[in-house]
Amino acid sequence: MVKEKKVSSRFIYFFGAFGGILFGYDIGVMTGALPFLQQDWGLESAVVIGWITSSIMLGAIFGGAMAGQLSDRLGRRKMILISAVVFVIGSLLSGIAPPDGHYYLIAVRIFLGMAVGAASALVPAYMSEMAPAHLRGRLSGINQTMIVSGMLLSYIVDYFLSGLSTTIAWRSMLAMAAVPAVILFIGVLKLPESPRFLIKNNKLAEARTVLSYIRPKDKIETEIKQIQEMAERERLASQQTSLGTMFSGKYRYLLFAGVGIAAFQQFQGANAIFYYIPLIVEEATGSAASSALMWPIIQGIILVLGSLLFLVIADKFKRRTLLTLGGTVMGLSFIFPAILNAVIPNTNPMMIVVFLSIYVAFYSFTWAPLTWVIVGEIFPLMIRGRASGLASSFNWLGSFLVGLMFPIMTASMPQEAVFAIFGVICLLGVLFVQVRVPETRGYTLEEIEKIGERKQAKRNSA
């Protein structure tokens, strides 16, 4: 039963969103820890470095899929608590890795990644079910702000711990991720369950109590009725939908558009910067990566400012316009260093870092948040659950492959050439947006579905 003691809406929204900070923290912490880990264990294998860095994303692929299923059975709140416990255990186990324990650390980070994937799925779901309708449009942007704030926090912690001895430094960085996880656990203990989950499980009295915390009294019964109607529609949709339904002619166009956007967001190479910026600076300047930990903080500040900018402009520009602008500048920011290096061989090596900062700035208010806005808008109700899960899986797969392959690629070709490849992918992403992605701003879900049907009909008749 829900406790009678009222929980303030601010408390609910703060700790509901806090999972995004934890998610971002665990994504970013390896950026500062990796240079010290390399020194301590004498890591030279690009494959091992790639696996240690990207293994958390491999776990996230499975964690996100399982969290969605389990949260429908156990509840959003309980699954967030379980994820926080996994965060704590995984972080502490990472910090006590045995000397030269490559495979141990990879296995632990896969385990930790399951919590990362769960958080990425559960936090937006919980927040969207708790927030009033007029705030839901901002949730993707707010969640992105929380994630990048978590990344920035991890970069700052890494910077201040970098003065410790090599062994203690990286172990402390990884283990410190347990602290925000404990804070999340304590806060979520006091959170109520999602009213949507309660209503779907026929706990109407508890749902009314929860809604009384966060809604005006005269709105409660209306919202309960709306939730019941939507739950029934989704139940009927799930019964009538199979995997084959997603790929049918009626839905294929929108499916490919949403999944394609999610995949391009990662294959454009953003995480190569976020994971490896100290090593990128080391490659460019020859200075030790462990002394370049101010650069992740700079990138983190840019990410946070960009996410805040998105909150201001999100509904003032068309989705396709922002994606085209961002993807074009991102692609050119990756390609220009290779051109400059070919034309002027003695160009200042830090020029590539300047261009990477321009890339991060435009990524932060375009592709980073807009991907999930579009994924939330573009799928018709009949395929929304399965299609959103597929888009998330492709996004995590892209993140995993970029994290794994970047050190391998830079070991076999110049750094500028690697980023030029990512630049071409960015421009291909722009082309994909122009050809395959319909505009979704200002359209209802039903109107978007009709756009997809018309587009697919044209392709079938061509």
Side-chain angles (χ1 to χ4, degrees):
M1 291 290 294
V2 176
K3 295 181 179 180
E4 291 299 321
K5 184 178 179 181
K6 183 172 181 177
V7 183
S8 74
S9 58
R10 290 185 178 181
F11 184 92
I12 291 171
Y13 296 142
F14 176 80
F15 278 101
F18 194 85
I21 290 181
L22 183 56
F23 168 34
Y25 189 100
D26 274 82
I27 293 296
V29 70
M30 182 55 80
T31 302
L34 185 59
F36 294 93
L37 179 62
Q38 282 184 275
Q39 291 179 25
D40 191 28
W41 286 0
L43 287 180
E44 296 181 357
S45 169
V47 174
V48 172
I49 293 171
W51 269 102
I52 289 176
T53 303
S54 64
S55 52
I56 198 168
M57 303 305 167
L58 182 60
I61 296 173
F62 301 104
M66 288 192 300
Q69 299 292 328
L70 290 174
S71 68
D72 285 338
R73 296 181 184 179
L74 303 177
R76 318 298 191 232
R77 173 182 173 275
K78 189 173 291 185
M79 282 304 301
I80 294 175
L81 286 171
I82 293 172
S83 298
V85 171
V86 174
F87 267 117
V88 173
I89 295 172
S91 300
L92 295 177
L93 289 177
S94 299
I96 60 172
D100 298 319
H102 308 155
Y103 299 112
Y104 168 92
L105 192 53
I106 290 170
V108 167
R109 283 178 60 75
I110 291 175
F111 172 72
L112 183 58
M114 295 179 70
V116 171
S120 73
L122 293 169
V123 171
Y126 181 83
M127 289 294 289
S128 66
E129 292 173 6
M130 296 299 287
H134 69 277
L135 293 180
R136 287 176 191 150
R138 300 181 183 178
L139 282 176
S140 292
I142 292 173
N143 188 49
Q144 178 67 19
T145 300
M146 301 302 280
I147 291 171
V148 295
S149 296
M151 293 173 67
L152 176 58
L153 177 62
S154 73
Y155 298 152
I156 293 172
V157 170
D158 287 351
Y159 180 80
F160 282 105
L161 293 177
S162 63
L164 302 175
S165 66
T166 300
T167 301
I168 299 300
W170 72 262
R171 292 182 183 278
S172 300
M173 292 172 185
L174 297 184
M176 280 290 288
V179 174
V182 171
I183 296 173
L184 175 66
F185 184 87
I186 294 172
V188 174
L189 281 176
K190 297 183 179 181
L191 290 187
E193 183 51 84
S194 152
R196 180 182 175 86
F197 173 80
L198 293 171
I199 291 171
K200 288 179 70 174
N201 286 272
N202 299 313
K203 299 180 179 180
L204 294 181
E206 293 183 31
R208 286 191 180 92
T209 303
V210 174
L211 286 172
S212 71
Y213 300 160
I214 53 180
R215 301 286 190 273
K217 289 184 178 180
D218 59 339
K219 303 289 186 182
I220 293 175
E221 294 304 321
T222 301
E223 181 156 349
I224 288 176
K225 184 177 180 180
Q226 290 174 343
I227 293 173
Q228 288 174 322
E229 291 174 352
M230 182 57 71
E232 179 63 16
R233 289 177 61 192
E234 291 181 353
R235 185 186 66 81
L236 294 174
S238 65
Q239 290 177 350
Q240 300 170 21
T241 306
S242 65
L243 287 175
T245 306
M246 291 195 298
F247 297 95
S248 66
K250 185 177 181 180
Y251 301 119
R252 191 184 308 144
Y253 182 86
L254 295 177
L255 174 71
F256 287 167
V259 173
I261 283 288
F264 266 111
Q265 186 207 44
Q266 292 299 334
F267 284 111
Q268 289 169 333
N271 280 341
I273 302 173
F274 305 145
Y275 299 154
Y276 298 111
I277 186 64
L279 302 185
I280 293 169
V281 174
E282 179 184 45
E283 178 72 19
T285 65
S287 61
S290 56
S291 64
L293 296 189
M294 183 56 73
W295 278 102
I297 295 178
I298 294 172
Q299 305 294 334
I301 292 172
I302 294 173
L303 280 171
V304 172
L305 293 177
S307 70
L308 294 175
L309 173 62
F310 175 75
L311 293 178
V312 175
I313 68 173
D315 294 320
K316 297 180 180 179
F317 296 92
K318 292 182 178 180
R319 314 291 193 228
R320 283 161 46 101
T321 300
L322 288 176
L323 288 173
T324 300
L325 170 65
T328 301
V329 176
M330 288 154 54
L332 295 177
S333 297
F334 273 161
I335 293 171
F336 275 165
I339 296 175
L340 284 174
N341 192 60
V343 176
I344 312 173
N346 295 323
T347 303
N348 188 324
M350 284 302 290
M351 185 63 66
I352 189 172
V353 182
V354 174
F355 277 109
L356 294 187
S357 297
I358 296 173
Y359 172 100
V360 171
F362 278 81
Y363 174 80
S364 67
F365 70 89
T366 59
W367 280 81
L370 272 173
T371 293
W372 301 113
V373 172
I374 289 177
V375 167
E377 293 174 336
I378 202 169
F379 297 131
L381 176 64
M382 191 66 72
I383 64 168
R384 188 175 304 152
R386 285 188 171 92
S388 297
L390 185 63
S392 179
S393 295
F394 268 83
N395 187 263
W396 283 118
L397 179 62
S399 180
F400 166 68
L401 290 175
V402 168
L404 176 64
M405 295 303 298
F406 181 76
I408 298 174
M409 293 169 70
T410 54
S412 59
M413 66 180 77
Q415 196 163 246
E416 292 85 355
V418 175
F419 283 120
I421 293 173
F422 286 133
V424 171
I425 295 174
C426 288
L427 297 181
L428 289 175
V430 171
L431 180 62
F432 179 83
V433 168
Q434 295 300 313
V435 174
R436 299 288 311 203
V437 181
E439 181 58 51
T440 60
R441 184 178 72 97
Y443 292 96
T444 66
L445 295 178
E446 291 73 21
E447 289 170 338
I448 294 170
E449 184 172 347
K450 289 179 181 178
I451 292 172
E453 289 178 12
R454 289 197 299 269
K455 295 277 189 180
Q456 190 60 49
K458 287 182 181 180
R459 288 182 174 275
N460 292 339
S461 61

